[in-house]
């Protein structure tokens, strides 16, 4: 039995790809190991959304060089950086044995056999045509021990946001047939999974035989599925039908991640986001009419080329107005081949110290809002799907509310149970409390231990 260590950078799509890599390698008798030190094969599943993620990949490769020298471990680089920068990786890091793109996961056994047999460096970054693309199906056994799991429903993106590398690294949109999605959801329930998150770069433009709203409703009807979530959405695809699904189906959880990116119409235009702030707010208003308590989170880029103080103030005001439950805000960094990178000189770079000062202001505001929103839960009893032990205190339990709020609590509820928890305190990032009651779980006894892929959210 050989051991594989997969270091995952970036988004949930990459985490999911890592699971599929592990499964593909299982067919070659590779078993996952939680540390690189005893691995026979090390794979970096990379992300190129931000510059920092690439730097982290290079520094991780530097660390794994020692394992190569001592154990002769094979080292491969997959994911978005591999797709975009294959030549640069091979030149800069001579001990990388193979490079493969997101469409080549199913070919991993074949690639490793070629490296092993021929002792050559292998590059496999060709796109698979949309018509011929087959989504790797998940092996439900790798999800044993989890209450919640992700299902890939589409890949790629047909939008052309000027800051984004996804269309260059993941290609055009391909939707997975809805029958396959429902089959995967059903198979996950056989190992105890009760919540699924449907993932893709732009899920609400899904075209897998039914609309995305119908896909959510059908998934919610799969016996054994108690909760359905999804990520990520583009505001211009937030249809009335999807909003209606939130109104009629309580199993669709009360959380919507709706990236706005900026509160300035001028910046949105340069970002090629195809909506105005007013249109974004109109969609949000409709959504909140359908599900009044919905928690909304967002992504914001600070310091996009040409962003003035006045543009930034509008983003600041929008954050205050919407009262987001949380936001992922980052300073702009140019990504290769994107429209914004090519136009930066014309639009004007924002100085680094200005970007950082704006980001700090925004983060401080968001923290204050998150604290206020979470504090409103103190004294209430909330329903939590239990995911395991608390990461900060193993004697406590951990789960999430419908609104995707993290809850750490005193209790004994098993993984996969829905527990009622009385909330006693709150911070910007989590709630804390005591278990009041827990449903009995008749069907499946779930073991605690699973080897989770190492994730670096960059
Ligand atoms: S919709 Fe999202 S994934 Fe697609 S190009 Fe825009 S930012 Fe990138």
């Amino acid at each position: 039995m050989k051991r594989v260590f997969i270091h995952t950078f970036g988004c949930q799509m990459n985490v999911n790809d890592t699971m599929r890599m592990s499964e593909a390698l299982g067919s070659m008798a590779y078993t996952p190991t939680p540390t690189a030190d005893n691995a026979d094969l090390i794979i970096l599943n990379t992300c190129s959304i931000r510059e920092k993620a690439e730097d982290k990949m290079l520094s991780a490769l530097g660390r794994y060089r020692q394992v190569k020298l001592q154990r002769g471990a094979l080292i491969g680089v997959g994911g978005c950086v591999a797709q975009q920068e294959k030549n640069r990786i091979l030149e800069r890091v001579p001990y990388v044995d193979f490079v493969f793109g997101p469409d080549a996961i199913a070919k991993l056994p074949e690639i490793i056999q070629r490296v092993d047999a021929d002792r050559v460096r292998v590059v496999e970054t060709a796109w698979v045509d949309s018509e011929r693309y087959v989504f790797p199906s998940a092996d439900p056994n790798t999800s044993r021990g989890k209450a919640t799991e992700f299902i890939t429903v589409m890949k790629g993106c047909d939008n052309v946001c000027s800051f984004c590398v996804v269309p260059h690294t993941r290609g055009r949109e391909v939707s997975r047939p809805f029958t396959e999605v429902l089959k995967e959801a059903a198979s996950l329930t056989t190992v105890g999974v009760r919540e699924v998150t449907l993932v893709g770069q732009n899920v609400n433009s899904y075209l897998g035989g039914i609309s995305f709203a119908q896909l959510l409703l059908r998934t919610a009807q799969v016996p054994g599925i108690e909760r359905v979530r999804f990520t990520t959405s583009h505001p211009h695809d937030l249809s009335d039908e999807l909003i209606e699904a939130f109104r009629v189906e309580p199993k669709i959880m009360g959380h919507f991640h709706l990236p706005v990116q900026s509160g300035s119409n001028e910046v949105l235009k340069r970002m090629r986001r195809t909506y105005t702030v007013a249109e974004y707010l109109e969609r949000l208003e409709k959504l909140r009419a359908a599900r009044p308590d919905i928690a909304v989170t967002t992504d914001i880029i600070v310091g996009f080329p040409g962003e003035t103080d006045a543009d930034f103030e509008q983003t600041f005001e929008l954050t205050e107005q919407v009262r987001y439950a949380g936001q992922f805000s980052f300073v702009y960094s140019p990504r290769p081949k994107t429209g914004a990178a090519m136009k930066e000189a014309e639009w004007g770079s924002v100085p680094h110290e200005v970007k950082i000062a704006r980001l700090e202001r925004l983060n401080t505001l968001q923290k204050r809002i998150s604290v206020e929103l979470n504090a409103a839960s103190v004294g209430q009893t909330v329903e939590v799907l239990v995911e395991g032990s608390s990461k900060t205190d193993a004697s406590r339990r951990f789960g999430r509310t419908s609104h995707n709020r993290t809850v750490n609590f005193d209790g004994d509820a098993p993984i996969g149970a829905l527990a009622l928890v009385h909330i006693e305190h709150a911070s910007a990032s989590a709630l804390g409390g005591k278990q009041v009651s827990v449903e009995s779980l008749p069907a499946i006894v779930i073991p605690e231990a699973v080897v989770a892929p190492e994730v670096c959210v960059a």
Side-chain angles (χ1 to χ4, degrees), residues 14-315:
N14 265 19
V15 176
N16 242 28
D17 285 352
T18 291
M19 302 293 283
R20 303 294 84 79
M21 286 177 200
S22 288
E23 288 163 19
L25 291 167
S27 69
M28 298 180 79
Y30 274 100
T31 185
T33 170
T35 160
D37 296 342
N38 63 3
D40 303 292
L41 169 64
I42 298 171
I43 293 178
L44 286 86
N45 188 9
T46 62
C47 166
S48 60
I49 287 284
R50 278 173 280 279
E51 209 167 18
K52 234 168 79 188
E54 268 183 52
D55 295 343
K56 284 183 179 173
M57 173 202 75
L58 288 171
S59 98
L61 276 171
R63 291 200 304 279
Y64 301 146
R65 182 166 181 260
Q66 210 48 34
V67 188
K68 174 141 199 109
L69 290 173
Q70 284 166 358
R71 296 181 53 83
L74 295 181
I75 298 185
V77 180
C80 295
V81 180
Q83 185 70 35
Q84 231 187 352
E85 302 286 352
K86 50 183 180 285
N87 294 333
R88 209 152 65 98
I89 294 169
L90 291 171
E91 269 167 39
R92 283 186 68 173
V93 196
Y95 49 89
V96 164
D97 297 292
F98 61 97
V99 175
F100 63 107
D103 277 9
I105 293 173
K107 286 189 175 169
L108 211 39
E110 189 191 309
I111 293 170
I112 291 165
Q113 267 160 10
R114 273 164 63 199
V115 175
D116 258 342
D118 305 338
R119 287 285 142 196
V120 289
R121 299 174 97 192
V122 175
V123 178
E124 190 65 65
T125 53
W127 296 116
V128 175
D129 291 344
S130 311
E131 304 73 44
R132 291 195 297 122
Y133 187 82
V134 179
F135 285 86
S137 284
D139 173 358
N141 283 312
T142 58
S143 303
R144 203 174 282 280
K146 291 183 178 175
T148 180
E149 195 49 284
F150 294 86
I151 300 179
T152 302
V153 302
M154 66 175 303
K155 71 155 203 117
C157 185
D158 286 352
N159 292 311
V160 280
C161 302
S162 64
F163 53 82
C164 184
V165 286
V166 165
H168 307 279
T169 58
R170 299 260 172 180
R172 302 297 302 265
E173 285 174 11
V174 186
S175 294
R176 191 173 183 191
F178 77 95
T179 45
E180 277 184 30
V181 175
L182 297 178
K183 216 166 105 192
E184 191 159 313
S187 74
L188 288 168
T189 65
T190 65
V191 294
V193 169
R194 302 184 82 195
E195 174 186 273
V196 290
T197 303
L198 308 186
V199 293
Q201 261 86 28
N202 191 20
V203 282
N204 48 11
S205 67
Y206 174 82
L207 284 173
I210 54 178
S211 68
F212 185 61
Q214 287 161 8
L215 182 69
L216 284 176
L217 293 169
R218 296 278 293 267
T219 307
Q221 285 159 12
V222 171
I225 294 293
E226 301 300 331
R227 291 176 158 206
V228 183
R229 302 181 187 274
F230 59 93
T231 193
T232 291
S233 309
H234 191 298
H236 78 181
D237 293 318
L238 172 47
S239 64
D240 286 346
E241 191 194 12
L242 182 55
I243 291 172
E244 180 63 11
F246 270 88
R247 200 178 62 75
V248 299
E249 179 50 83
K251 285 187 180 178
I252 300 176
M253 293 291 95
H255 169 228
F256 206 120
H257 185 68
L258 195 59
V260 67
Q261 306 296 1
S262 172
S264 155
N265 286 335
E266 284 308 308
V267 174
L268 288 175
K269 212 189 291 168
R270 286 199 294 277
M271 287 177 165
R272 294 209 205 111
R273 288 294 283 176
T274 66
Y275 53 84
T276 63
V277 174
E279 285 161 352
Y280 178 89
L281 289 172
E282 182 267 333
R283 294 284 80 198
L284 211 51
E285 199 182 324
K286 265 200 152 165
L287 184 64
R288 281 178 163 162
R291 185 70 78 82
D293 67 338
I294 198 161
V296 180
T297 55
T298 199
D299 296 337
I300 287 178
I301 295 173
V302 174
F304 188 75
E307 184 190 73
T308 61
D309 285 344
D311 289 325
F312 173 70
E313 286 310 318
Q314 289 174 37
T315 302

Side-chain angles (χ1 to χ4, degrees), residues 198-442:
L198 308 186
V199 293
Q201 261 86 28
N202 191 20
V203 282
N204 48 11
S205 67
Y206 174 82
L207 284 173
I210 54 178
S211 68
F212 185 61
Q214 287 161 8
L215 182 69
L216 284 176
L217 293 169
R218 296 278 293 267
T219 307
Q221 285 159 12
V222 171
I225 294 293
E226 301 300 331
R227 291 176 158 206
V228 183
R229 302 181 187 274
F230 59 93
T231 193
T232 291
S233 309
H234 191 298
H236 78 181
D237 293 318
L238 172 47
S239 64
D240 286 346
E241 191 194 12
L242 182 55
I243 291 172
E244 180 63 11
F246 270 88
R247 200 178 62 75
V248 299
E249 179 50 83
K251 285 187 180 178
I252 300 176
M253 293 291 95
H255 169 228
F256 206 120
H257 185 68
L258 195 59
V260 67
Q261 306 296 1
S262 172
S264 155
N265 286 335
E266 284 308 308
V267 174
L268 288 175
K269 212 189 291 168
R270 286 199 294 277
M271 287 177 165
R272 294 209 205 111
R273 288 294 283 176
T274 66
Y275 53 84
T276 63
V277 174
E279 285 161 352
Y280 178 89
L281 289 172
E282 182 267 333
R283 294 284 80 198
L284 211 51
E285 199 182 324
K286 265 200 152 165
L287 184 64
R288 281 178 163 162
R291 185 70 78 82
D293 67 338
I294 198 161
V296 180
T297 55
T298 199
D299 296 337
I300 287 178
I301 295 173
V302 174
F304 188 75
E307 184 190 73
T308 61
D309 285 344
D311 289 325
F312 173 70
E313 286 310 318
Q314 289 174 37
T315 302
F316 195 80
E317 282 159 22
L318 183 75
T319 296
E320 187 81 87
Q321 181 183 352
V322 173
R323 287 180 66 75
Y324 290 109
Q327 63 175 253
F328 300 98
S329 37
F330 296 94
V331 294
Y332 170 78
S333 63
R335 310 312 301 126
K337 297 187 188 148
T338 58
M342 289 186 248
K343 289 271 190 179
E344 186 162 0
E346 183 186 322
W347 292 341
S349 301
V350 177
H352 183 68
E353 60 281 9
V354 175
K355 284 183 194 168
I356 296 295
R358 286 177 186 167
L359 182 66
E360 280 173 4
R361 262 189 77 204
L362 196 59
N363 282 343
T364 304
L365 170 66
Q366 182 57 55
K367 191 170 175 196
R368 194 201 82 213
I369 295 169
S370 299
V371 167
E372 286 168 5
L373 292 174
N374 284 352
S377 298
V378 174
Q380 292 183 358
T381 298
V382 298
E383 189 180 71
V384 170
L385 179 67
V386 182
E387 294 181 29
S389 302
S390 164
K391 292 182 180 82
T392 48
D393 176 355
S395 68
R396 305 185 84 202
R397 308 303 283 158
F398 153 81
R400 280 175 303 137
T401 67
S402 165
H403 302 116
N404 212 27
R405 294 199 166 96
T406 296
V407 183
N408 297 302
F409 62 96
D410 297 321
D412 59 1
I415 291 175
L418 287 165
L420 290 178
V421 177
H422 184 71
I423 302 301
E424 295 172 334
H425 47 88
S427 69
S429 57
L431 306 175
K434 273 201 183 82
Q435 180 180 315
V436 175
S437 62
V438 60
E439 64 169 352
S440 52
L441 267 183

